[in-house]
Amino acid sequence: MILKSLFKKGAIVTFLMGGIIIGSISSPAYANETDSTNQDYYRDSIVTYDNTRASYTINYSFGANLKGTPRSFSAGTIKATLNTKCSGAATTEFNGELWRKNSVGESFISRQTFPLNGSRTRSWSGLNAGNYFLGLVKANDGSTAKGSGTFSN
């Protein structure tokens, strides 16, 4: 038996199979979610997750900066593939920042560039297991960057 529940901000969804809890996903409490307006948002959903690999699809829209949802990853390499469109921007690239969420706060790992119009995959290696999130940062020039991609290891 599979239990279905509606996603809403701050909700935790638990999946049951034959009476055994096989996993749970919390909705993006860190995301700047909005409706269909032109405001900032970051939404993600789990694609795969096991003891060695996790993959999340992401959809985003932002004007200057956006903080993603912390997600659990095993040790090793984390990749971000972002496919972005943005018209009227003052620059051609934006920064994808990798952050680690821990019990006392957040730690900046490093930043890499992504095109404002196009797709690119970047990776961070030598990471310990833990909860990581993406920060997306671009010039505050009145334009809005929108896109989708994956956040995985």
Side-chain angles (χ1 to χ4, degrees), residues 22-23 46-56 71-75 129-130 153:
I22 59 171
I46 192 166
V47 176
T48 59
Y49 183 82
D50 60 35
N51 290 335
T52 60
R53 187 172 164 286
S55 182
Y56 306 93
R71 293 296 185 192
S72 179
F73 290 98
S74 58
N153 70 337

Side-chain angles (χ1 to χ4, degrees), residues 1-3 12-25 49:
M1 173 179 120
I2 297 176
L3 176 68
I12 295 179
V13 178
T14 303
F15 298 92
L16 298 175
M17 186 167 198
I20 300 171
I21 296 175
I22 59 171
S24 63
I25 304 169
Y49 183 82

Side-chain angles (χ1 to χ4, degrees), residues 29-32 65-71 97-110 130-137:
Y30 284 83
N32 295 321
N65 57 62
L66 185 64
K67 181 180 179 180
T69 306
R71 293 296 185 192
E97 300 178 340
L98 184 66
W99 290 79
R100 182 173 182 170
K101 174 83 173 153
N102 53 49
S103 60
V104 295
E106 301 164 351
S107 302
F108 174 74
I109 305 300
S110 72
N131 295 313
Y132 293 88
F133 65 91
L134 282 175
L136 306 180
V137 182

